[in-house]
Amino acid sequence: MAIKKFNFCFLTFFLSYGMLIPTLSLGNICLPKEHVALFVFGDSLFDVGNNNYINTTGNNLANYSPYGETFFKYPTGRFSDGRVIPDFIAEYAKLPLIQPYLFPGSQEYVNGINFASAGAGALVETHKGLVIDLHTQLTYFKNVKKILREKHGDEETTTLLARAVYLITIGSNDYFAENFTVYTHEKYVSMVVGNLTTVIKGIHEMGGRKFGILNQPSLGCFPIIKAVINGTKDACREEYSSSAKLHNIVLSVELQKLEKQIKGFKYSYFNFFDISFEVINNPSNFGLKEGGAACCGSGPYKGYYSCGGKREVKDYDLCEMPSEYVFFDAIHPTESASKIISQFMWSGNQSIIGPYNLKTLFEG
């Protein structure tokens, strides 16, 4: 005779800073009543160490010094001197640091999980076999949902996934990889955005409702671009931002369509292009000193991707004060810059992020 499994959600209270706060019990996990998890998808901007556990190259790894030197005091796999954007968003949402999905050991997933992989693209072909592409990240999320249902039942899992926020950044690697030589510019951008929206729909089908999505940054302003084309430190190369601009236009239109087409879809669309352009070109307006050159690397403006000496170029120099720089290496922001970006994502107005900011998504 089969025994029917019951899942109970008890209203309890715990004492925190002198206040009684109502909580919900999810299986044997006690969570605040309005608990909102954070699930993270993307590339090196969001990777918190997943690539430490796959077979890849030094280009896609940051598990060596001087990465991680300022906050964690050791390399974690984050492409930064310290924390990255999802770490700050988790802090603002009063969540613990969200772990990488591939981190060994048991995972509860009730606070969310991070699937991001450095080097990943929206297209499976981008750095194929060396990264966790976006569609594979979606497959991992399906595994997480299955585990949550087995542990906590359908009702609690449905509630958890519907309340959660899904943070996504992807696409830069697709454009840097130059897969599009056999396609028109417009066709290639359409493919990248199409794959991204397909994954968003997949998350929605599994119960996700609230999405935080970054558009493409001003790629032509990155030190790696300036170094390769022998540009000047303070001048962005417009032609290298053209793919990003087209991507952003197409993605904005597609998100507006999804809002009308799929039930309960809410999103934050962050104007990463304009914010990155401003921070890089006017760092003093944001409390930083250097936006044109990287802190760690070699070559012109430290724009050669050599930080740590584990990649093709072994020589590198390291600045004394990463907190004064926008870029830690030739591509990735410092912890200071990531914090600035995160603050705009969390509470920015509709000229920067809309139709909702992340604070509104977490509270709504």
Side-chain angles (χ1 to χ4, degrees):
M1 177 178 175
I3 299 174
K4 186 176 181 181
K5 180 181 178 182
F6 291 89
N7 292 285
F8 296 99
C9 201
F10 297 101
L11 180 65
T12 59
F13 294 85
F14 70 90
L15 189 65
S16 178
Y17 300 103
M19 297 175 62
L20 285 173
I21 301 176
T23 67
L24 292 175
S25 176
L26 186 65
N28 60 352
I29 305 295
C30 200
L31 299 174
K33 186 178 180 181
E34 299 303 325
H35 178 76
V36 179
L38 176 62
F39 293 93
V40 181
F41 300 76
D43 54 30
S44 58
L45 196 67
F46 283 2
D47 190 351
V48 294
N50 278 307
N51 278 19
N52 295 350
Y53 308 105
I54 66 173
N55 185 19
T56 188
T57 66
N59 281 349
N60 302 317
L61 290 169
N63 57 349
Y64 44 83
S65 295
Y67 290 103
E69 66 168 17
T70 59
F71 182 80
F72 299 99
K73 309 302 180 186
Y74 66 93
T76 64
R78 289 168 171 82
F79 286 73
S80 170
D81 59 302
R83 290 166 289 182
V84 293
I85 290 170
D87 298 323
F88 289 107
I89 300 304
E91 177 186 328
Y92 304 152
K94 297 180 172 57
L95 292 167
L97 290 176
I98 305 301
Q99 290 187 330
Y101 174 75
L102 295 181
F103 184 80
S106 104
Q107 305 267 25
E108 285 294 342
Y109 304 124
V110 292
N111 290 315
I113 203 72
N114 186 315
F115 305 103
S117 170
L123 303 178
V124 175
E125 294 80 9
T126 299
H127 301 146
K128 188 173 183 179
L130 298 172
V131 300
I132 309 162
D133 66 82
L134 189 60
H135 281 275
T136 301
Q137 293 178 36
L138 179 63
T139 300
Y140 288 167
F141 178 58
K142 290 179 182 178
N143 296 340
V144 167
K145 180 179 179 180
K146 181 180 178 182
I147 292 168
L148 283 169
R149 289 177 67 182
E150 289 171 352
K151 285 188 175 182
H152 307 297
D154 288 343
E155 184 177 346
E156 286 86 349
T157 299
T158 298
T159 299
L160 179 72
L161 298 184
R163 286 180 177 172
V165 171
Y166 301 83
L167 195 61
I168 306 172
T169 184
I170 204 82
S172 295
N173 291 305
D174 296 300
Y175 299 120
F176 277 132
E178 297 183 352
N179 298 323
F180 54 83
T181 51
V182 296
Y183 301 101
T184 65
H185 194 57
E186 292 75 13
K187 173 64 176 176
Y188 189 75
V189 170
S190 177
M191 290 166 56
V192 172
V193 175
N195 275 27
L196 170 54
T197 54
T198 295
V199 168
I200 291 171
K201 289 176 185 177
I203 296 170
H204 180 271
E205 288 171 4
M206 286 186 283
R209 294 294 179 265
K210 299 185 289 185
F211 296 81
I213 300 161
L214 286 72
N215 69 15
Q216 288 300 296
S218 50
L219 300 176
C221 298
F222 283 29
I224 193 169
I225 295 297
K226 296 174 183 178
V228 168
I229 52 87
N230 296 316
T232 60
K233 182 167 77 74
D234 298 320
C236 299
R237 294 302 295 250
E238 181 71 21
E239 66 270 27
Y240 286 88
S241 289
S242 58
S243 295
K245 286 183 175 180
L246 182 56
H247 173 102
N248 296 345
I249 292 169
V250 175
L251 178 58
S252 178
V253 170
E254 290 303 312
L255 290 174
Q256 292 173 49
K257 288 180 183 177
L258 290 179
E259 188 178 29
K260 295 175 182 177
Q261 292 171 353
I262 59 179
K263 184 178 179 181
F265 179 75
K266 295 174 69 174
Y267 70 98
S268 293
Y269 179 66
F270 179 60
N271 190 350
F272 194 20
F273 188 97
D274 285 356
I275 292 299
S276 63
F277 185 91
E278 286 300 318
V279 175
I280 293 166
N281 290 286
N282 300 291
S284 61
N285 291 346
F286 303 90
L288 305 176
K289 291 186 178 180
E290 179 58 71
C295 167
C296 182
S298 57
Y301 328 121
K302 295 182 188 164
Y304 295 163
Y305 189 46
S306 60
C307 185
K310 302 286 187 179
R311 303 180 181 121
E312 186 176 350
V313 178
K314 305 303 180 186
D315 295 331
Y316 72 96
D317 294 314
L318 179 67
C319 71
E320 290 185 6
M321 296 290 290
S323 60
E324 296 179 347
Y325 284 68
V326 174
F327 288 95
F328 185 62
D329 65 21
I331 302 170
H332 304 102
T334 58
E335 177 179 277
S336 296
S338 288
K339 184 175 184 179
I340 291 165
I341 295 162
S342 303
Q343 289 170 336
F344 281 117
M345 292 172 62
W346 182 254
S347 56
N349 60 37
Q350 290 202 350
S351 67
I352 298 165
I353 186 167
Y356 305 96
N357 58 32
L358 289 182
K359 185 173 187 287
T360 303
L361 285 189
F362 272 92
E363 294 177 349

